[in-house]
Amino acid sequence: MTSTTSGPEGSGPTELTGLTASELAAKIAAGEVSAVEVTRAHLDRLEALEPAVHAFLHVDREAALAAASRADEERADGTPPSPLAGVPLALKDVLTTTDMPTTCGSRMLEGWTPPYDSTVAARLRAAGVVILGKTNMDEFAMGSSTENSAFGPTRNPWDTDRVPGGSGGGSSAALAAFEAPLAIGTDTGGSIRQPAAVTGTVGVKPTYGGVSRYGLVAFSSSLDQAGPCGRTVLDTAMLHEVIAGHDPMDSTSVDAPVPKVTAAAREGATGDLRGVRVGVVREFGGEGYQQGVRDSFRAAVDTLTSLGAEVVEVSCPHFEYALGAYYLIAPSECSSNLARFDAMRYGLRVGDDGTRSTEEVMSLTREQGFGPEVKRRIMLGTYALSSGYYDAYYGQAQKVRTLITRDFEAAFAQVDVLVSPTTPTTAFRIGERVDDPMAMYLADLCTIPSNLAGNAAMSVPSGLSAEDGMPVGLQIMAPPMADDRLYRVGAAYEAARDAASEVPLLDRVPRLEVA
Amino acid sequence: MTAVAEIMDYDEVLRRFDPVLGLEVHVELSTATKMFCGCANEFGAEPNSRVCPVCLGMPGALPVVNGTAVESAVRIGLALDCQVAEWCRFARKNYFYPDMPKNFQTSQYDEPIVFDGGLDVVLDDGEVFRVGIERAHMEEDTGKSLHVGGATGRIHGAEHSLLDYNRAGVPLIEIVTKPITGAGERAPEVARAYVTALRDLLRSMGVSDVRMDQGSLRCDANVSLSPKGSGEFGTRTETKNVNSFRSIERAVRFEMRRQASLLVNGSEIIQETRHFDESSGETSSGRRKEEAEDYRYFPEPDLVPIAPSREWVERLRGTLPEMPWERRKRVQEQWGLSDEELRDLVNASALDLVAATVDAGAPPSEARSWWVAYLSQRANERGVELAELSVTPAQVARVIELVAEGKLTHKLARQVVDGVLDDRGDPDEVVAADGIEVVSDDSSLQAAVDEALAAQPDAAEKIRGGKVQAAGAIVGAVMKATQGQADAKRVRELVLAACGQQ
């Protein structure tokens, strides 16, 4: 199976799988290589590597090749639907697809194929992007390690004893393992950015409402946001433009032009950040952060300064309450959003043997269909919304949310973007935090404020931590609908980082042992 | 439960207690599509044929508010003299039930779109009772469960249940009254009159089919008793399954008697949902409220707030049709009706029909007389609503016209209308088919008059002596002789002429 694709280094990327999405798109557009060839190369590689990585829950080889073939035909007809036509992609299994199951990493939806496409999936298809399959995730996007998947954890390609982050660890691992050049994630508290940080890839949580949530199986509706993931800032920008834009099916979708993110990425790549004001969030990156993360962050800030950016320190005093507010708001919404999984209409049904009442079947199904973390959050949220507790918990959390939004507004009055480490540590070991929910929750400490405020944020790789050789991420945050600033600053930083290094970062991903 | 034998006499209830009512009316809007999706909003379609991922609550599906439904909600609020919120939100009402696809109902909680209004309700004797409106809010309907097997058709004892989600997501407006106090013995009547008035109002606005039999108008009646003069509210019950205007009155009356019977025996009223049984006229215990859910309301994050601009609200106010009470006042003036005549007209549910008949050219008094008297009687005999009779206002107007032209007598006119009611065609067709014709040939009438005068010489003599009221007997005899086909007015003229009185 691996013979045609494994290079001389065993399981290193082939000529095609080693290319970026923009390079692949250019070659396909120029007729140098067909979308089918590109797709086949990625399918072959992922089939070889999946036993070691387990990034995917579902791969549909035939459907992917058929989509690639259509992209080739459209190119031959002179009507390629988008700049990314024919480029393969890994789709997080929380976005509905009519041709593949959508499980959200849960037993509850095992084998369920939705009757409708999410807007994100529909836009990808319309753009000629080839969906290889659906990626693994923490159950219903609740977690920071992908260990909460009912179908087993995904492993970090940099060190398969470590987690790839979460909840979108499948998407980030697929990118880092060169199984796909592009991926889609969703980010409720950091589920795009934290996995990107710990796998050395790029991930963007667009402005809330920037990408339609229609067909994104809801965890926390007021926080959930789908976004693009890639190995480079430019690739991520190109994908961003394919999926973003107003959708009448999502009332919370922003009805405004999509920020010109690809142009911003190209501009940023010139390496000039003069006139750009960068704020370092004082509250993040100190005590409790891994030394390698702090060192990497300090170096990244120096790099931004060297590119001409004006760097200042900015205080966001309410960010320290963000985690607490998040763990009231997100579980509250989740307790309601996940109520529909009741065995009546779709998905798992347990104990319907003719002797049990409807309520008993619902109860048994939910008991057996949900994993412990999902149950924990449903219980937390049910409690927080209960009569007599609402004001003290949900109500207070909403007030904190307002204060955090004001912190951002005050900060963005002074600076164009804010920066911080994406996550306090590098990838932790599988099993290390499963019995300590609080330790797990801390992984999203720096990413949560942007979900609460609804602004745009990116994680871009900032090198490797000296202690463990694992990737570190730099978080860049921008005001709502100023997503283009992320790409300009991110691309400038990325170019400087690679220029300073002998080997491009991702070329340092270890060669995986193929089972 | 209390046996009927022990139940307290109604007058005794009123000697001891003051009733307090709260009415919650759910109105299904007749929008083309559902509240949050594009599915057709229609009654009676093949089960589960008007559904989509949104109204089935599929994972990932999102609601989008139906703008027409919001407009209807605001218009209803304006018609009920309510304030319109400057900013309001939807909220999720969380509880598990299989006919509710998301296991939460998208509704409104502490931020209703309209609030604080009132509706003047005209009682049977013409007295006006103002019912305060607490609020009206928007929400979505649930699907329907059909419990198969078991004796009652209710969930307990059923072998299995079938679910139809066609109704899931149909736009609903829930209109909640303020506590209705001070109605005393008339409380059951106020309840009926209020829902009837609401029905008339909503129908005139064209926002709902308002059919209680189809469930597009549903009323839950909250009833409690307050010890006479104490002013303290007692524990309430909420009676559901009240499917007709008459049932509302009966249900309230029964609950008052049942609760009074318990209270005088020192028993407590249990706060619960009760079901009204049409055949027995009694309520029975349903779900206990004390063990019912904490709905864990919170603002619906999938929808954006609604902020009706004042300009828009005023524009909608301008689109309101004439309100039923305004209309009643207008027709009373235009048609010169006494209060009593107006009340008879309204109580006979004949206002629309008379108005349409007048619009078709008939004089108001004639039109009113036909509908309130003769046709109401016919409807009664046939056991149908007046509006369900197969005669149209235009047909009634034509009959009135034929009478005015002297082509029909009143008696013949009734024959013609009966023909129309028997589905024998238009008035002119019935006239032609039956050969109905007024005897208008003076020579043949003259013979009949002469004959009658000869047969009643005493009467003839009185007329000749100036007692013209004696002509009635002669006219009657002529009409009898001509089998009613003569024009009584002309006969009278001939009689008077023959006796030298003209």
Side-chain angles (χ1 to χ4, degrees):
Chain A
M1 188 180 286
T2 61
S3 58
T4 57
T5 58
S6 294
E9 290 175 281
S11 57
T14 62
E15 193 183 334
L16 286 177
T17 56
L19 298 177
T20 66
S22 59
E23 288 164 350
L24 287 169
K27 283 185 179 295
I28 292 168
E32 290 171 30
V33 63
S34 72
V36 167
E37 287 171 280
V38 169
T39 300
R40 188 173 289 129
H42 284 91
L43 286 167
D44 289 346
R45 179 169 173 83
L46 78 83
E47 281 166 11
L49 295 188
E50 272 300 279
V53 179
H54 191 225
F56 286 85
L57 292 176
H58 186 88
V59 175
D60 192 335
R61 189 178 180 96
E62 296 314 311
L65 289 170
S69 176
R70 272 194 303 281
D72 284 333
E73 284 164 24
E74 283 166 338
R75 193 197 67 83
D77 292 344
T79 57
S82 85
L84 285 178
V87 179
L89 171 140
L91 185 63
K92 190 176 180 182
D93 203 29
V94 71
L95 289 149
T96 62
T97 44
T98 53
D99 56 352
M100 280 180 271
T102 300
T103 68
C104 302
S106 180
R107 290 274 171 229
M108 192 61 94
L109 284 176
E110 190 169 6
W112 179 64
T113 300
Y116 74 107
D117 259 340
S118 53
T119 297
V120 167
R123 289 189 177 176
L124 291 168
R125 293 187 209 278
V129 174
V130 175
I131 301 172
L132 297 172
K134 307 291 286 287
T135 56
N136 199 12
M137 56 188 283
D138 285 302
E139 185 176 10
F140 287 108
M142 299 175 201
S144 303
S145 69
T146 318
E147 290 165 290
N148 295 334
S149 168
F151 308 110
T154 296
R155 291 168 184 276
N156 192 322
W158 291 81
D159 177 350
T160 53
D161 288 336
R162 293 178 188 259
V163 302
S167 66
S171 286
S172 65
L175 292 172
F178 291 82
E179 294 180 341
L182 294 172
I184 297 290
T186 61
D187 192 315
T188 306
S191 287
I192 287 175
R193 290 162 288 161
Q194 182 260 4
V198 302
T199 57
T201 57
V202 180
V204 169
K205 182 200 92 71
T207 299
Y208 182 78
V211 176
S212 171
R213 289 188 297 116
Y214 191 70
L216 191 179
V217 180
F219 157 21
S220 179
S221 311
S222 72
L223 302 165
D224 293 344
Q225 182 59 61
C229 308
R231 284 192 295 264
T232 70
V233 173
L234 178 62
D235 287 1
T236 309
M238 290 172 75
L239 182 57
H240 189 130
E241 290 199 8
V242 166
I243 60 173
H246 181 243
D247 178 11
M249 296 298 278
D250 175 1
S251 307
T252 61
S253 148
V254 176
D255 191 1
V258 177
K260 301 267 180 257
V261 295
T262 303
R266 292 193 196 283
E267 183 194 350
T270 62
D272 184 0
L273 287 183
R274 278 176 299 179
V276 176
R277 295 166 302 164
V278 174
V280 174
V281 180
R282 182 184 300 158
E283 286 74 12
F284 288 154
E287 203 79 359
Y289 287 65
Q290 190 178 316
Q291 188 60 46
V293 170
R294 290 160 73 169
D295 293 344
S296 173
F297 178 62
R298 216 167 295 131
V301 171
D302 289 344
T303 302
L304 295 174
T305 307
S306 73
L307 294 172
E310 181 193 326
V311 178
V312 294
E313 195 175 73
V314 172
S315 176
C316 296
H318 299 97
F319 281 15
E320 65 171 301
Y321 305 110
L323 194 69
Y326 175 86
Y327 275 100
L328 290 168
I329 293 167
S332 293
E333 293 183 7
C334 120
S335 72
S336 176
N337 282 327
L338 270 60
R340 71 192 65 197
F341 301 105
D342 65 0
M344 293 297 114
R345 290 160 298 276
Y346 43 76
L348 186 69
R349 182 181 287 187
V350 178
D352 184 17
D353 59 5
T355 69
R356 293 189 174 89
S357 71
T358 304
E359 288 75 12
E360 287 167 333
V361 171
M362 282 185 179
S363 184
L364 264 180
T365 302
R366 290 171 67 80
E367 186 187 318
Q368 294 186 25
F370 289 138
E373 183 61 27
V374 170
K375 286 181 194 164
R376 175 161 32 236
R377 297 200 195 188
I378 289 173
M379 286 188 282
L380 262 174
T382 303
Y383 185 77
L385 289 176
S386 295
S387 169
Y389 297 98
Y390 179 93
D391 290 340
Y393 295 123
Y394 188 81
Q396 281 296 106
Q398 290 293 5
K399 287 178 189 163
V400 170
R401 190 172 186 173
T402 301
L403 293 174
I404 287 167
T405 305
R406 288 189 193 152
D407 277 1
F408 270 118
E409 285 166 358
F412 288 130
Q414 293 174 254
V415 297
D416 299 307
V417 295
L418 288 169
V419 292
S420 77
T422 305
T423 178
T425 67
T426 56
F428 41 90
R429 292 185 187 283
I430 289 174
E432 191 181 317
R433 296 190 187 178
V434 286
D435 296 324
D436 188 352
M438 276 312 294
M440 189 72 90
Y441 295 172
L442 283 171
D444 293 333
L445 189 65
C446 310
T447 45
I448 279 173
S450 290
N451 296 90
L452 291 173
N455 61 312
M458 167 188 278
S459 180
V460 60
S462 60
L464 303 179
S465 163
E467 307 98 47
D468 52 18
M470 294 298 289
V472 180
L474 167 69
Q475 178 175 231
I476 307 167
M477 295 163 272
M481 295 311 280
D483 306 42
D484 50 328
R485 295 185 197 171
L486 306 176
Y487 289 93
R488 179 171 174 207
V489 175
Y493 171 75
E494 178 186 59
R497 179 201 71 202
D498 282 352
S501 168
E502 284 172 24
V503 187
L505 185 74
L506 272 159
D507 285 4
R508 291 191 252 166
V509 179
R511 301 297 175 237
L512 293 167
E513 293 300 320
V514 178
Chain B
M1 276 300 110
T2 319
V4 183
E6 303 166 19
I7 204 160
M8 189 184 284
D9 175 71
Y10 189 63
D11 292 337
E12 182 64 18
V13 174
L14 293 160
R15 272 191 287 279
R16 292 165 177 261
F17 300 101
D18 294 319
V20 178
L21 307 183
L23 300 170
E24 294 171 17
V25 173
H26 285 87
V27 182
E28 278 184 1
L29 297 179
S30 52
T31 49
T33 56
K34 292 187 182 182
M35 187 74 213
F36 299 116
C37 65
C39 287
N41 170 18
E42 52 184 319
F43 180 82
E46 177 78 10
N48 296 310
S49 64
R50 301 293 183 271
V51 293
C52 74
V54 176
C55 59
L56 286 177
M58 287 280 176
L62 295 172
V64 176
V65 173
N66 181 334
T68 308
V70 177
E71 191 176 295
S72 293
V74 171
R75 292 177 74 229
I76 289 170
L78 292 172
L80 291 173
D81 210 11
C82 287
Q83 307 289 311
V84 178
E86 303 212 355
W87 190 89
C88 70
R89 285 183 291 192
F90 284 93
R92 292 187 184 179
K93 180 180 182 180
N94 295 285
Y95 64 101
F96 282 84
Y97 205 76
D99 64 15
M100 198 166 57
K102 297 170 291 183
N103 284 322
F104 62 79
Q105 182 186 29
T106 306
S107 179
Q108 293 194 288
Y109 180 48
D110 51 358
E111 299 163 320
I113 185 147
V114 296
F115 53 92
D116 194 19
L119 180 63
D120 285 331
V121 173
V122 183
L123 303 182
D124 288 349
D125 65 356
E127 190 192 322
V128 175
F129 191 98
R130 176 114 176 137
V131 174
I133 303 293
E134 178 76 31
R135 58 185 283 168
H137 69 251
M138 301 177 282
E139 60 186 27
E140 58 181 337
D141 212 341
T142 61
K144 279 184 190 166
S145 304
L146 178 66
H147 304 295
V148 182
T152 60
R154 283 162 67 174
I155 194 162
H156 298 293
E159 282 162 17
H160 63 276
S161 299
L162 298 172
L163 293 163
D164 176 7
Y165 292 108
N166 283 352
R167 199 180 68 177
V170 164
L172 281 183
I173 303 293
E174 181 176 340
I175 302 166
V176 182
T177 66
K178 294 177 178 170
I180 301 170
T181 57
E185 62 174 334
R186 307 193 71 170
E189 184 193 344
V190 166
R192 170 176 53 75
Y194 164 71
V195 181
T196 309
L198 200 53
R199 190 267 317 257
D200 292 346
L201 171 65
L202 298 173
R203 191 161 57 190
S204 74
M205 295 175 67
V207 292
S208 168
D209 297 337
V210 281
R211 294 274 301 263
M212 281 197 105
D213 57 333
Q214 292 186 354
S216 53
L217 179 72
R218 307 196 280 272
C219 177
D220 301 338
N222 290 280
V223 177
S224 68
L225 294 181
S226 165
K228 194 95 188 157
S230 75
E232 286 170 17
F233 288 5
T235 303
R236 68 185 164 83
T237 60
E238 181 179 12
T239 301
K240 292 183 180 288
N241 197 35
V242 190
N243 295 325
S244 71
F245 297 108
R246 193 165 152 262
S247 295
I248 294 165
E249 187 164 357
R250 292 169 73 207
V252 169
R253 179 182 274 258
F254 179 84
E255 263 307 287
M256 287 169 62
R257 296 176 63 200
R258 186 190 70 86
Q259 290 186 13
S261 307
L262 286 172
L263 289 169
V264 295
N265 288 332
S267 305
E268 288 197 347
I269 304 300
I270 299 162
Q271 187 170 337
E272 63 183 354
T273 298
R274 297 183 66 83
H275 288 267
F276 181 68
D277 183 88
E278 293 276 349
S279 52
S280 69
E282 296 177 13
T283 66
S284 63
S285 181
R287 184 157 46 97
R288 287 276 177 94
K289 279 278 179 178
E290 62 189 337
E291 61 193 47
E293 302 85 338
D294 172 355
Y295 292 122
R296 292 177 283 115
Y297 281 101
F298 72 103
E300 166 60 276
D302 284 332
L303 292 168
V304 291
I306 294 173
S309 76
R310 297 303 98 177
E311 295 71 27
W312 184 61
V313 169
E314 289 315 308
R315 206 156 59 236
L316 289 181
R317 197 189 298 279
T319 69
L320 290 181
E322 184 180 33
M323 293 295 128
W325 53 89
E326 293 167 347
R327 181 165 182 229
R328 283 197 293 269
K329 204 173 159 202
R330 177 174 58 80
V331 299
Q332 183 173 17
E333 282 169 13
Q334 283 183 355
W335 300 348
L337 304 181
S338 68
D339 288 349
E340 192 181 4
E341 284 167 335
L342 176 69
R343 194 166 68 238
D344 289 346
L345 191 61
V346 171
N347 288 347
S349 301
L351 187 67
D352 287 343
L353 295 162
V354 172
T357 309
V358 171
D359 288 346
S365 62
E366 305 276 320
R368 191 164 54 83
S369 154
W370 273 101
W371 287 106
V372 175
Y374 188 69
L375 289 168
S376 286
Q377 189 193 326
R378 284 304 205 216
N380 239 346
E381 287 162 12
R382 293 175 182 221
V384 297
E385 295 288 316
L386 196 54
E388 290 167 4
L389 287 175
S390 58
V391 64
T392 64
Q395 289 167 333
V396 172
R398 174 61 183 153
V399 169
I400 292 169
E401 187 183 13
L402 289 170
V403 172
E405 288 170 356
K407 291 181 181 154
L408 289 179
T409 63
H410 277 288
K411 186 176 174 199
L412 289 176
R414 289 190 196 115
Q415 279 181 37
V416 172
V417 167
D418 286 344
V420 175
L421 290 174
D422 291 339
D423 296 321
R424 295 182 43 232
D426 276 339
D428 289 300
E429 289 166 346
V430 175
V431 167
D434 294 2
I436 296 171
E437 201 182 345
V438 173
V439 178
S440 55
D441 174 359
D442 275 2
S443 63
S444 63
L445 274 183
Q446 191 65 57
V449 167
D450 292 345
E451 213 169 288
L453 287 168
Q456 298 186 62
D458 292 353
E461 198 53 41
K462 281 179 185 167
I463 301 166
R464 288 191 190 100
K467 291 192 168 183
V468 294
Q469 60 268 41
I474 306 299
V475 173
V478 175
M479 292 308 288
K480 195 176 175 188
T482 57
Q483 293 173 333
Q485 299 212 359
D487 175 356
K489 203 172 142 206
R490 181 66 191 144
V491 171
R492 187 180 169 82
E493 287 167 5
L494 290 173
V495 170
L496 293 177
C499 297
Q501 292 299 324
Q502 257 181 355

